[in-house]
């Protein structure tokens, strides 16, 4: 039997521009997980005496996701029309200044919950703009023959940084407070800028797109391009919208597990922010190991079926987490949860990259982010349930709903039979 060759670093070794992109994605994704941990615990600290503390804490995740619903599709048009590299650099510089300023605000008595929510919205806006652009840049920095490997290796930076960011952030929070977490977050934004500065995009496909300078025509074109992207996906690549609808399970219903971690850690496991960081890091460990396997040995051919199994598996694990069997049990379940989340997102992302034309890639990635934005609606219910009942009951209900919806999509022949060969 032939032993598969480990391919993990093929794209990194072969393509200098992809190395720039990979390093920028590493910094960008580390900042996201560090930020989620820091803002959640900051809100918990500010609302600890309130009966609705759980709702405020979980709501942070919804506020970060909200811009993906409001501006995501329109920002994506800019990503398909403007220089993608320069757009990311501009946004990251702005976010660096905001993060440093907010860090100093946390050292004063003026800091309020609404300040944290405003910061979360700005951070979510940055993510709504840059994440789909950074995803599209993968296909612009490597040839098509390396796209599958490059995408999987790039996704390593998501669960990998979910290990690193919360681990370091939890220790910093427990020992020094909130200020240095925001300083570190700001430095990570600068890291993205420095990484992208020398990057080129030799595999960008040329298009005949022009933007009218008239203000009215510009907005008319903007809306028209959003509609054009929707029509392209629905009529030319129907399976992709179906997968995006299914993505509401991992991205909307199950993702609030991470938002609940401060409450779960403090109220169920009776531990502090350092253990909260360890739990989120363990979620990253599972995802990291899974992506490492995919980047090393490649994806299974039945990618649609794999997405279905990941959605069902993640729902079952969330249901299981509602039963408190101690800290070790929580570590194992959260690591397994990270595996299922990563399988879905990585596989779904690769399907988008390989099936969609370059001129529509940012718009397609952004429409996928709308499923992330659906978490806005679910966090309200999750926060209310956690306040009205308990964190454990909330997890049980989240898992049950996820199982039900996943099984409904299991009947889709388009998803089950999808074999994206690349």
């Amino acid at each position: 039997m032939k032993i598969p060759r480990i391919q993990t670093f093929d794209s990194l070794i072969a393509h200098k521009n992809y190395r720039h992109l990979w390093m920028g994605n590493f910094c960008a994704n580390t900042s996201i997980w560090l930020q989620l941990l820091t803002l959640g615990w900051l809100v918990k600290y500010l609302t600890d005496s309130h009966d609705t503390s759980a709702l405020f804490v979980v709501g942070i995740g919804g506020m970060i996701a909200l811009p993906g619903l409001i501006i995501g599709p329109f920002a994506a048009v800019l990503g398909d029309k403007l220089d993608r590299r320069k757009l990311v650099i501009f946004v990251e510089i702005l976010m660096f200044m905001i993060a440093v300023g907010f860090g100093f605000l946390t050292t004063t008595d003026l800091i309020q919950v609404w300040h944290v929510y405003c910061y979360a919205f700005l951070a979510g806006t940055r993510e709504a703009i840059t994440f789909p652009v950074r995803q599209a840049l993968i296909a612009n920095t490597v040839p098509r023959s390396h796209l599958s490997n490059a995408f999987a290796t790039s996704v390593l930076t998501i669960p990998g940084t979910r290990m690193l960011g919360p681990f370091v952030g939890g220790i910093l929070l427990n020992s020094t407070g909130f200020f240095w977490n925001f300083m570190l977050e700001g430095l990570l934004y600068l890291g993205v800028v420095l990484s992208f500065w020398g990057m080129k995009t030799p595999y960008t496909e040329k298009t005949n797109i022009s933007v009218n300078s008239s203000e009215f025509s510009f907005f008319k074109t903007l809306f028209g391009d959003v509609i054009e992207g929707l029509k392209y996906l629905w009529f030319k690549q129907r399976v992709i919208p179906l997968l995006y609808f299914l993505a509401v399970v991992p991205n909307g219903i199950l993702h609030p597990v991470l938002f609940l971690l401060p409450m779960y850690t403090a109220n169920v496991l009776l531990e502090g922010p350092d253990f909260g960081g360890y739990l989120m890091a363990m979620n990253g460990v599972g995802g990291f190991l899974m992506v490492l396997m995919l980047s090393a040995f490649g994806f299974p051919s039945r990618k649609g079926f794999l997405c279905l199994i990941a959605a069902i598996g993640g729902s079952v694990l969330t249901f299981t987490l509602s039963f408190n069997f101690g800290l070790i049990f929580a570590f194992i379940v959260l690591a397994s949860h990270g595996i299922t989340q990563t399988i879905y997102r990585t596989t779904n992302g690769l399907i988008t990259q390989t099936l969609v034309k370059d001129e529509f890639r940012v718009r397609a990635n952004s429409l996928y982010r709308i499923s992330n934005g659906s978490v806005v609606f679910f966090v309200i219910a999750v926060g209310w349930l956690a306040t009205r009942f308990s964190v454990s009951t909330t997890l049980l209900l989240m898992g049950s709903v996820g199982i039900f919806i996943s099984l409904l999509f299991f009947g889709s022949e388009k998803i089950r039979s999808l074999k994206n060969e690349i």
Side-chain angles (χ1 to χ4, degrees):
M1 183 178 69
K2 184 180 179 181
I3 300 175
R5 185 179 67 85
I6 296 177
Q7 311 163 37
T8 304
F9 302 109
D10 283 10
S11 298
L12 281 170
I13 293 171
H15 304 286
K16 176 184 177 182
N17 293 308
Y18 177 70
R19 291 196 293 273
H20 282 286
L21 176 64
W22 192 93
M23 198 64 222
N25 284 343
F26 179 87
C27 292
N29 291 323
T30 303
S31 71
I32 293 169
W33 299 115
L34 174 67
Q35 172 195 104
L36 182 60
L37 174 84
T38 307
L39 295 182
W41 282 96
L42 178 56
V43 170
K44 187 180 184 305
Y45 168 77
L46 293 172
T47 63
D48 230 2
S49 60
H50 299 181
D51 293 336
T52 55
S53 180
L55 181 58
F56 280 116
V57 171
V58 176
I60 278 293
M63 187 58 67
I64 293 173
L66 182 60
L69 284 175
I70 299 174
I71 68 166
F74 303 105
V77 174
L78 298 178
D80 277 333
K81 292 183 177 294
L82 302 179
D83 185 309
R84 292 169 179 171
R85 183 186 68 90
K86 291 179 180 178
L87 179 61
V88 173
I89 289 173
F90 174 75
V91 174
E92 296 293 320
I93 290 174
L94 283 179
M95 201 60 209
F96 160 74
M97 294 186 288
I98 294 170
V100 171
F102 192 80
F104 281 102
L105 180 62
T106 64
T107 64
T108 72
D109 294 330
L110 300 175
I111 184 72
Q112 310 250 343
V113 173
W114 71 268
H115 293 141
V116 186
Y117 269 72
C118 287
Y119 182 84
F121 185 84
L122 292 172
T125 300
R126 167 252 185 179
E127 186 64 3
I129 295 171
T130 64
F131 184 86
V133 174
R134 289 188 286 109
Q135 293 286 86
L137 280 167
I138 298 172
N140 299 153
T141 54
V142 300
R144 187 174 176 82
S145 59
H146 275 184
L147 184 55
S148 178
N149 172 260
F151 187 82
T153 305
S154 177
V155 175
L156 275 173
T157 65
I158 299 177
T161 57
R162 192 158 72 241
M163 293 188 295
L164 180 63
F167 182 81
V168 174
I171 294 173
L172 280 176
L173 277 182
N174 211 47
S175 56
T176 64
F178 297 101
F179 173 78
W180 287 108
N181 275 36
F182 287 104
M183 294 302 105
L184 178 56
E185 187 181 327
L187 289 176
L188 289 167
Y189 296 138
L190 279 187
V192 180
V193 173
L194 293 175
S195 298
F196 276 43
W197 201 266
M199 183 179 74
K200 301 186 187 312
T201 55
Y203 299 98
T204 302
E205 296 176 12
K206 303 296 183 184
T207 59
N208 297 317
I209 296 174
S210 61
V211 179
N212 196 305
S213 59
S214 163
E215 184 177 347
F216 174 77
S217 297
F218 172 76
F219 283 106
K220 182 179 177 181
T221 302
L222 189 65
F223 279 92
D225 286 333
V226 172
I227 299 300
E228 182 187 16
L230 289 170
K231 288 170 63 177
Y232 168 77
L233 290 177
W234 188 252
F235 292 109
K236 301 293 185 181
Q237 303 290 353
R238 179 72 62 85
V239 71
I240 292 179
L242 290 176
L243 285 169
Y244 288 0
F245 287 131
L246 175 59
V248 170
V249 173
N251 296 340
I253 298 170
L254 306 183
H255 192 56
V257 167
L258 299 181
F259 308 155
L260 274 173
L261 278 183
M263 305 305 299
Y264 181 79
T265 306
N267 298 350
V268 178
L269 300 177
L270 306 179
E271 299 289 351
D274 49 347
F275 276 89
Y278 303 152
L279 286 167
M280 190 178 288
M282 201 64 189
N283 185 262
V285 169
F288 180 81
L289 293 176
M290 190 67 248
V291 182
L292 195 62
M293 288 185 61
L294 292 173
S295 64
F297 303 113
F299 287 78
S301 61
R302 298 185 63 188
K303 294 180 177 63
F305 184 76
L306 186 62
C307 286
L308 287 167
I309 295 300
I312 294 171
S315 302
V316 171
L317 287 164
T318 302
F319 184 94
T320 306
L321 192 63
S322 65
F323 301 99
N324 178 23
F325 295 123
L327 191 59
I328 301 300
F329 175 80
F331 277 134
I332 294 171
V333 172
L334 282 167
S336 303
H337 187 273
I339 289 174
T340 60
Q341 295 286 87
T342 299
I343 288 175
Y344 191 95
R345 291 166 180 168
T346 306
T347 306
N348 194 28
L350 178 61
I351 290 169
T352 299
Q353 294 297 312
T354 54
L355 292 184
V356 175
K357 293 180 179 178
D358 187 56
E359 63 187 283
F360 293 104
R361 277 202 182 104
V362 178
R363 276 171 281 185
N365 289 334
S366 184
L367 289 170
Y368 172 62
R369 296 289 294 177
I370 290 179
S371 68
N372 290 32
S374 68
V375 77
V376 173
F377 307 109
F378 291 103
V379 294
I380 297 172
V382 167
W384 180 83
L385 286 169
T387 301
R388 179 70 178 80
F389 299 102
S390 68
V391 173
S392 295
T393 302
T394 303
L395 290 168
L396 188 146
L397 291 172
M398 290 163 63
S400 300
V401 173
I403 292 170
F404 176 74
I405 295 177
S406 299
L407 290 176
L408 288 179
F409 275 89
F410 207 83
S412 171
E413 179 64 23
K414 278 187 177 292
I415 295 178
R416 289 205 319 274
S417 61
L418 176 64
K419 294 184 178 181
N420 183 214
E421 302 289 351
I422 186 168

